[in-house]
mmCIF file of all heavy atoms in Angstrom:
data_model
loop_
_atom_site.group_PDB
_atom_site.id
_atom_site.type_symbol
_atom_site.label_atom_id
_atom_site.label_comp_id
_atom_site.label_asym_id
_atom_site.label_seq_id
_atom_site.Cartn_x
_atom_site.Cartn_y
_atom_site.Cartn_z
ATOM 1 N N ARG A 88 38.182 121.765 -33.296
ATOM 2 C CA ARG A 88 39.364 122.564 -32.975
ATOM 3 C C ARG A 88 40.445 122.437 -33.871
ATOM 4 O O ARG A 88 41.045 123.342 -34.352
ATOM 5 C CB ARG A 88 39.888 122.217 -31.546
ATOM 6 C CG ARG A 88 38.931 122.607 -30.371
ATOM 7 C CD ARG A 88 39.676 122.672 -29.143
ATOM 8 N NE ARG A 88 40.215 121.313 -28.679
ATOM 9 C CZ ARG A 88 39.582 120.468 -28.047
ATOM 10 N NH1 ARG A 88 38.324 120.672 -27.613
ATOM 11 N NH2 ARG A 88 40.117 119.306 -27.631
ATOM 12 N N ARG A 91 39.005 123.508 -37.809
ATOM 13 C CA ARG A 91 38.280 124.702 -38.163
ATOM 14 C C ARG A 91 38.781 126.012 -37.343
ATOM 15 O O ARG A 91 38.385 127.057 -37.686
ATOM 16 C CB ARG A 91 36.746 124.495 -37.837
ATOM 17 C CG ARG A 91 36.174 123.400 -38.624
ATOM 18 C CD ARG A 91 36.364 123.457 -40.097
ATOM 19 N NE ARG A 91 35.868 124.704 -40.622
ATOM 20 C CZ ARG A 91 36.392 125.381 -41.679
ATOM 21 N NH1 ARG A 91 37.520 124.927 -42.274
ATOM 22 N NH2 ARG A 91 35.933 126.520 -42.123
ATOM 23 N N HIS A 100 53.340 129.192 -27.111
ATOM 24 C CA HIS A 100 53.201 127.811 -26.914
ATOM 25 C C HIS A 100 53.779 127.007 -28.106
ATOM 26 O O HIS A 100 53.225 126.143 -28.746
ATOM 27 C CB HIS A 100 51.697 127.428 -26.870
ATOM 28 C CG HIS A 100 51.180 127.723 -25.521
ATOM 29 N ND1 HIS A 100 51.743 127.312 -24.336
ATOM 30 C CD2 HIS A 100 50.027 128.458 -25.085
ATOM 31 C CE1 HIS A 100 51.051 127.801 -23.245
ATOM 32 N NE2 HIS A 100 50.010 128.449 -23.798
ATOM 33 N N ARG A 105 61.711 121.320 -30.799
ATOM 34 C CA ARG A 105 61.320 120.955 -32.135
ATOM 35 C C ARG A 105 61.479 122.120 -33.058
ATOM 36 O O ARG A 105 61.199 123.248 -32.644
ATOM 37 C CB ARG A 105 60.025 120.338 -32.253
ATOM 38 C CG ARG A 105 59.880 119.376 -31.038
ATOM 39 C CD ARG A 105 58.686 118.486 -30.971
ATOM 40 N NE ARG A 105 58.453 117.660 -32.215
ATOM 41 C CZ ARG A 105 57.394 116.897 -32.288
ATOM 42 N NH1 ARG A 105 56.612 116.714 -31.246
ATOM 43 N NH2 ARG A 105 57.241 116.088 -33.362
ATOM 44 N N TYR A 117 46.676 115.804 -35.238
ATOM 45 C CA TYR A 117 45.512 115.193 -34.686
ATOM 46 C C TYR A 117 44.361 115.224 -35.725
ATOM 47 O O TYR A 117 43.196 115.192 -35.383
ATOM 48 C CB TYR A 117 45.087 115.944 -33.397
ATOM 49 C CG TYR A 117 46.178 115.718 -32.313
ATOM 50 C CD1 TYR A 117 47.031 116.716 -32.111
ATOM 51 C CD2 TYR A 117 46.182 114.583 -31.645
ATOM 52 C CE1 TYR A 117 48.102 116.514 -31.060
ATOM 53 C CE2 TYR A 117 47.184 114.284 -30.657
ATOM 54 C CZ TYR A 117 48.153 115.263 -30.405
ATOM 55 O OH TYR A 117 49.110 115.056 -29.452
ATOM 56 N N ARG A 122 50.903 111.885 -43.908
ATOM 57 C CA ARG A 122 52.093 112.727 -43.737
ATOM 58 C C ARG A 122 52.574 113.340 -45.077
ATOM 59 O O ARG A 122 53.394 114.192 -45.044
ATOM 60 C CB ARG A 122 53.219 111.991 -42.987
ATOM 61 C CG ARG A 122 52.917 111.693 -41.562
ATOM 62 C CD ARG A 122 53.587 110.424 -41.147
ATOM 63 N NE ARG A 122 55.006 110.679 -40.961
ATOM 64 C CZ ARG A 122 55.538 110.924 -39.753
ATOM 65 N NH1 ARG A 122 54.840 110.990 -38.715
ATOM 66 N NH2 ARG A 122 56.788 111.090 -39.644
ATOM 67 N N PHE B 6 35.739 120.415 -45.492
ATOM 68 C CA PHE B 6 35.898 119.083 -44.802
ATOM 69 C C PHE B 6 34.600 118.277 -45.011
ATOM 70 O O PHE B 6 33.467 118.812 -45.325
ATOM 71 C CB PHE B 6 36.185 119.324 -43.305
ATOM 72 C CG PHE B 6 35.210 120.173 -42.592
ATOM 73 C CD1 PHE B 6 34.025 119.640 -42.110
ATOM 74 C CD2 PHE B 6 35.490 121.482 -42.439
ATOM 75 C CE1 PHE B 6 33.138 120.483 -41.438
ATOM 76 C CE2 PHE B 6 34.532 122.342 -41.810
ATOM 77 C CZ PHE B 6 33.270 121.788 -41.385
ATOM 78 N N SER B 16 38.527 114.156 -34.445
ATOM 79 C CA SER B 16 39.973 114.164 -34.416
ATOM 80 C C SER B 16 40.534 112.804 -34.199
ATOM 81 O O SER B 16 39.859 111.928 -33.802
ATOM 82 C CB SER B 16 40.484 115.050 -33.250
ATOM 83 O OG SER B 16 40.560 114.369 -32.097
ATOM 84 N N GLY B 17 41.745 112.565 -34.661
ATOM 85 C CA GLY B 17 42.429 111.265 -34.526
ATOM 86 C C GLY B 17 43.808 111.452 -34.830
ATOM 87 O O GLY B 17 44.240 112.440 -35.429
ATOM 88 N N ASP B 22 52.176 109.028 -36.473
ATOM 89 C CA ASP B 22 52.274 110.304 -35.880
ATOM 90 C C ASP B 22 52.406 110.223 -34.358
ATOM 91 O O ASP B 22 53.200 110.894 -33.737
ATOM 92 C CB ASP B 22 51.067 111.141 -36.169
ATOM 93 C CG ASP B 22 51.219 111.853 -37.573
ATOM 94 O OD1 ASP B 22 52.340 112.161 -37.933
ATOM 95 O OD2 ASP B 22 50.200 112.151 -38.260
ATOM 96 N N GLU B 26 55.428 111.649 -32.171
ATOM 97 C CA GLU B 26 55.289 112.592 -31.069
ATOM 98 C C GLU B 26 55.892 112.030 -29.828
ATOM 99 O O GLU B 26 56.527 112.758 -29.085
ATOM 100 C CB GLU B 26 53.771 112.936 -30.846
ATOM 101 C CG GLU B 26 53.109 113.617 -31.970
ATOM 102 C CD GLU B 26 53.774 114.942 -32.318
ATOM 103 O OE1 GLU B 26 54.016 115.764 -31.405
ATOM 104 O OE2 GLU B 26 54.169 115.239 -33.494
ATOM 105 N N ARG B 326 45.812 119.957 -26.708
ATOM 106 C CA ARG B 326 44.307 119.916 -26.649
ATOM 107 C C ARG B 326 43.738 120.902 -27.591
ATOM 108 O O ARG B 326 42.765 120.607 -28.276
ATOM 109 C CB ARG B 326 43.830 120.167 -25.217
ATOM 110 C CG ARG B 326 44.254 119.127 -24.122
ATOM 111 C CD ARG B 326 43.607 117.773 -24.447
ATOM 112 N NE ARG B 326 42.150 117.836 -24.461
ATOM 113 C CZ ARG B 326 41.440 117.764 -23.387
ATOM 114 N NH1 ARG B 326 41.970 117.651 -22.226
ATOM 115 N NH2 ARG B 326 40.037 117.784 -23.533
ATOM 116 N N LEU B 411 46.849 126.007 -20.846
ATOM 117 C CA LEU B 411 47.297 126.992 -21.851
ATOM 118 C C LEU B 411 47.772 128.345 -21.114
ATOM 119 O O LEU B 411 48.567 129.068 -21.597
ATOM 120 C CB LEU B 411 46.226 127.331 -22.767
ATOM 121 C CG LEU B 411 46.046 126.219 -23.830
ATOM 122 C CD1 LEU B 411 44.741 126.402 -24.589
ATOM 123 C CD2 LEU B 411 47.248 126.265 -24.780
#
Side-chain angles (χ1 to χ4, degrees):
Chain A
R88 289 199 297 272
R91 302 305 304 147
H100 287 306
R105 313 190 55 181
Y117 296 99
R122 293 153 72 97
Chain B
F6 54 86
S16 81
D22 275 331
E26 294 301 312
R326 294 296 302 277
L411 283 166

